[in-house]
Structure formats: C-alpha cells, structure tokens
Amino acid sequence: MREIAYMEPAKKGVRPDWDTYFMDIAIVVARRSTCLRRQVGTIVVKDRRVLTTGYNGAPAGLIHCNQVGCVRERLQVPSGERHELCRGLHAEQNAIIQAAVHGVSICGGTLYSTAYPCSLCAKMIVNAGIKRVVYRGSYPDDLAKAILAEAGIEVTQWGGETNAGKRDPATKTRST
C-alpha cells in the first residue's frame, strides 16, 4: 500500500523554517516513486538552493517496479536487507547521480530525505561531500548511522508528521 504524505496548508502570515520548506519539497518528490514498498524523496540543497532531486525507482528507461512487481516483496525480504535483489535505485542515489550527470557540485550541501539513508547511500553521501543530512522517517540500518557519525556528518531528524506535526525537542535542529 502506498503511503501518501500530505502537507499542512500554510497559515496566513506564517512562513515555514528552511528545514520544513525543503522537507516539504522532498515529500512532493517522493510522490514520483514507483517502488511498491516505500516511497522516498530526496533533494540536495546548497546555499538555500535546490540543486538536485531524486526518488526511488528503476533506472531511467527501464520498466518500473509497479509494472513488473517486486522480487523482494515476493521473497518476503525484510526492509533494510538484500538490496542487491532490488531493481530500483534509492532516492539518495538518484539525487547524487543527477548531480554527476548534470555537472553540479553538491559538495558541502545538505541532503533532505523522507527516510534515513541506508548504508550504501551513507557511503555515497560521505564521498559526495554532503555535510548535513535531514531525514523524516527511520530505516533499520545501524551501519549507516555509524558511517555518517564516523564521517562527522551532521544528522538531524525533521519533526514533521513523525512527531504529530511538531519538532522533536530532543533532536538537533537548525534553520539554515
């Protein structure tokens, strides 16, 4: 079943902070996903400008998962395991690849994702020079957390719907 995220309408005279603004964009990007298990959207931002976007799904030009089915679903593979069976790319991978394809430097940028990055994506984030990751939902990958921590990348959980529409006061937040 597809989870569809809806954003709260803006209240008159109230502007969202930068993290909310960019996460709202990532949520809209996730709607393009063709994955049958999880819809994820990612954007990379630098100097308050969106540089790239990505969502999870099959590589460009290939048949989408929602048309051919999901091997991991058929085999009942738990979330976070056996990535090599998936025909799709993760949203973070697609955002980083789009930067390379179009010659856009994302070094020093902030990556906003509707899900916590997996370990494969964490390694790409480190090598791409991303300095900050803001995520919305969790993902069961302790190795990813260790990789991002060892690399010194700032990781912030965005409050949003994960905390009844309010920021979690226990997480690090910073409006950029």
Side-chain angles (χ1 to χ4, degrees), residues 49-167:
R49 302 289 180 258
V50 176
L51 301 178
T52 63
T53 67
Y55 52 88
N56 56 329
L62 299 187
I63 298 171
H64 295 289
C65 302
N66 60 3
Q67 296 169 303
V68 298
C70 176
V71 172
R72 294 177 74 232
E73 191 74 18
R74 279 195 301 273
L75 296 176
Q76 298 180 341
V77 175
S79 183
E81 297 180 15
R82 304 288 315 269
H83 295 281
E84 75 278 7
L85 295 176
C86 181
R87 67 183 284 112
L89 291 160
H90 288 185
E92 301 92 335
Q93 293 168 339
N94 271 325
I96 292 168
I97 290 167
Q98 287 304 306
V101 167
H102 296 288
V104 176
S105 173
I106 57 175
C107 187
T110 298
L111 183 141
Y112 290 83
S113 185
T114 60
Y116 197 94
C118 72
S119 57
L120 295 171
C121 292
K123 291 182 268 187
M124 291 180 70
I125 289 166
V126 170
N127 277 1
I130 298 292
K131 296 298 179 199
R132 182 171 181 244
V133 172
V134 179
Y135 71 99
R136 178 174 172 237
S138 64
Y139 190 76
D141 194 332
D142 291 333
L143 179 58
K145 292 175 185 172
I147 289 168
L148 294 174
E150 183 179 340
I153 294 174
E154 178 185 344
V155 178
T156 304
Q157 183 172 17
W158 177 79
E161 290 180 359
T162 60
N163 293 295
K166 298 178 184 167
R167 286 195 181 280

Side-chain angles (χ1 to χ4, degrees), residues 28-40:
V28 171
V29 171
R31 292 173 54 196
R32 293 279 307 155
S33 170
T34 58
C35 179
L36 299 173
R37 295 183 116 193
R38 178 183 283 225
Q39 289 66 54
V40 180

